[in-house]
Short mmCIF file of all heavy atoms in Angstrom, two decimals:
data_model
loop_
_atom_site.label_atom_id
_atom_site.label_comp_id
_atom_site.label_asym_id
_atom_site.label_seq_id
_atom_site.Cartn_x
_atom_site.Cartn_y
_atom_site.Cartn_z
N ASP V 89 8.64 -12.96 -1.52
CA ASP V 89 9.65 -13.25 -0.50
C ASP V 89 9.83 -12.10 0.50
O ASP V 89 10.84 -12.04 1.21
CB ASP V 89 10.99 -13.64 -1.16
CG ASP V 89 11.52 -12.58 -2.11
OD1 ASP V 89 10.98 -11.46 -2.13
OD2 ASP V 89 12.49 -12.87 -2.85
N GLN V 90 8.83 -11.19 0.55
CA GLN V 90 8.93 -10.05 1.47
C GLN V 90 7.81 -10.03 2.52
O GLN V 90 7.39 -8.96 2.97
CB GLN V 90 8.93 -8.74 0.68
CG GLN V 90 10.20 -8.56 -0.16
CD GLN V 90 10.25 -7.21 -0.83
OE1 GLN V 90 9.37 -6.87 -1.62
NE2 GLN V 90 11.25 -6.42 -0.50
N LEU V 91 7.37 -11.22 2.93
CA LEU V 91 6.32 -11.29 3.95
C LEU V 91 6.75 -10.60 5.26
O LEU V 91 5.94 -9.96 5.92
CB LEU V 91 5.95 -12.76 4.22
CG LEU V 91 4.85 -13.00 5.26
CD1 LEU V 91 3.57 -12.27 4.91
CD2 LEU V 91 4.59 -14.50 5.41
N SER V 92 8.04 -10.72 5.59
CA SER V 92 8.53 -10.10 6.84
C SER V 92 8.40 -8.57 6.77
O SER V 92 8.14 -7.91 7.78
CB SER V 92 9.97 -10.51 7.12
OG SER V 92 10.81 -10.07 6.08
N VAL V 93 8.57 -8.00 5.56
CA VAL V 93 8.41 -6.55 5.40
C VAL V 93 6.95 -6.16 5.62
O VAL V 93 6.63 -5.20 6.33
CB VAL V 93 8.88 -6.09 4.00
CG1 VAL V 93 8.69 -4.58 3.83
CG2 VAL V 93 10.34 -6.48 3.76
N CYS V 94 6.05 -6.96 5.03
CA CYS V 94 4.62 -6.72 5.21
C CYS V 94 4.26 -6.74 6.69
O CYS V 94 3.54 -5.86 7.19
CB CYS V 94 3.83 -7.79 4.46
SG CYS V 94 2.07 -7.78 4.81
N LYS V 95 4.78 -7.74 7.42
CA LYS V 95 4.45 -7.88 8.85
C LYS V 95 5.01 -6.71 9.65
O LYS V 95 4.33 -6.19 10.54
CB LYS V 95 4.96 -9.22 9.38
CG LYS V 95 4.19 -10.37 8.75
CD LYS V 95 4.28 -11.65 9.53
CE LYS V 95 3.19 -12.61 9.05
NZ LYS V 95 3.43 -14.00 9.37
N ALA V 96 6.23 -6.29 9.32
CA ALA V 96 6.83 -5.16 10.06
C ALA V 96 6.01 -3.88 9.86
O ALA V 96 5.79 -3.12 10.80
CB ALA V 96 8.27 -4.94 9.59
N PHE V 97 5.52 -3.67 8.64
CA PHE V 97 4.83 -2.41 8.31
C PHE V 97 3.33 -2.45 8.59
O PHE V 97 2.62 -1.48 8.31
CB PHE V 97 5.11 -2.02 6.86
CG PHE V 97 6.47 -1.39 6.67
CD1 PHE V 97 7.60 -2.17 6.58
CD2 PHE V 97 6.61 -0.01 6.60
CE1 PHE V 97 8.86 -1.61 6.43
CE2 PHE V 97 7.86 0.57 6.44
CZ PHE V 97 8.99 -0.23 6.36
N SER V 98 2.84 -3.59 9.12
CA SER V 98 1.43 -3.63 9.55
C SER V 98 1.33 -3.84 11.05
O SER V 98 0.23 -3.89 11.60
CB SER V 98 0.67 -4.72 8.80
OG SER V 98 1.28 -5.98 8.96
N SER V 99 2.49 -3.91 11.72
CA SER V 99 2.50 -4.09 13.17
C SER V 99 2.63 -2.74 13.87
O SER V 99 3.27 -1.83 13.36
CB SER V 99 3.69 -4.99 13.55
OG SER V 99 3.92 -4.91 14.93
N LYS V 100 1.99 -2.65 15.03
CA LYS V 100 2.08 -1.40 15.80
C LYS V 100 3.40 -1.32 16.58
O LYS V 100 3.78 -0.25 17.04
CB LYS V 100 0.90 -1.30 16.78
CG LYS V 100 -0.44 -1.12 16.09
CD LYS V 100 -0.64 0.31 15.60
CE LYS V 100 -1.97 0.48 14.88
NZ LYS V 100 -2.03 1.71 14.07
N ASP V 101 4.06 -2.49 16.75
CA ASP V 101 5.28 -2.52 17.57
C ASP V 101 6.53 -2.55 16.69
O ASP V 101 6.53 -3.13 15.62
CB ASP V 101 5.31 -3.77 18.46
CG ASP V 101 4.03 -3.91 19.26
OD1 ASP V 101 3.57 -2.89 19.80
OD2 ASP V 101 3.49 -5.04 19.31
N GLY V 102 7.59 -1.96 17.21
CA GLY V 102 8.90 -2.08 16.57
C GLY V 102 9.18 -1.00 15.54
O GLY V 102 8.28 -0.30 15.09
N ASP V 103 10.47 -0.87 15.21
CA ASP V 103 10.92 0.08 14.20
C ASP V 103 10.74 -0.55 12.83
O ASP V 103 11.41 -1.53 12.51
CB ASP V 103 12.40 0.43 14.47
CG ASP V 103 12.97 1.36 13.41
OD1 ASP V 103 12.27 1.67 12.42
OD2 ASP V 103 14.14 1.76 13.57
N ARG V 104 9.84 -0.02 12.04
CA ARG V 104 9.49 -0.65 10.76
C ARG V 104 10.67 -0.71 9.79
O ARG V 104 10.72 -1.58 8.92
CB ARG V 104 8.29 0.08 10.13
CG ARG V 104 7.03 -0.10 10.96
CD ARG V 104 5.83 0.59 10.39
NE ARG V 104 4.68 0.32 11.23
CZ ARG V 104 3.47 0.84 11.08
NH1 ARG V 104 3.24 1.69 10.11
NH2 ARG V 104 2.50 0.54 11.91
N TYR V 105 11.60 0.23 9.90
CA TYR V 105 12.73 0.26 8.96
C TYR V 105 13.99 -0.41 9.53
O TYR V 105 15.03 -0.42 8.86
CB TYR V 105 13.04 1.71 8.57
CG TYR V 105 12.04 2.26 7.55
CD1 TYR V 105 10.94 2.98 7.97
CD2 TYR V 105 12.21 2.03 6.19
CE1 TYR V 105 10.02 3.48 7.05
CE2 TYR V 105 11.30 2.52 5.26
CZ TYR V 105 10.21 3.25 5.70
OH TYR V 105 9.30 3.74 4.79
#
Side-chain angles (χ1 to χ4, degrees):
D89 57 10
Q90 292 186 300
L91 181 56
S92 62
V93 179
C94 170
K95 292 200 165 160
F97 281 80
S98 55
S99 165
K100 292 283 179 197
D101 308 316
D103 176 356
R104 294 180 178 175
Y105 283 94

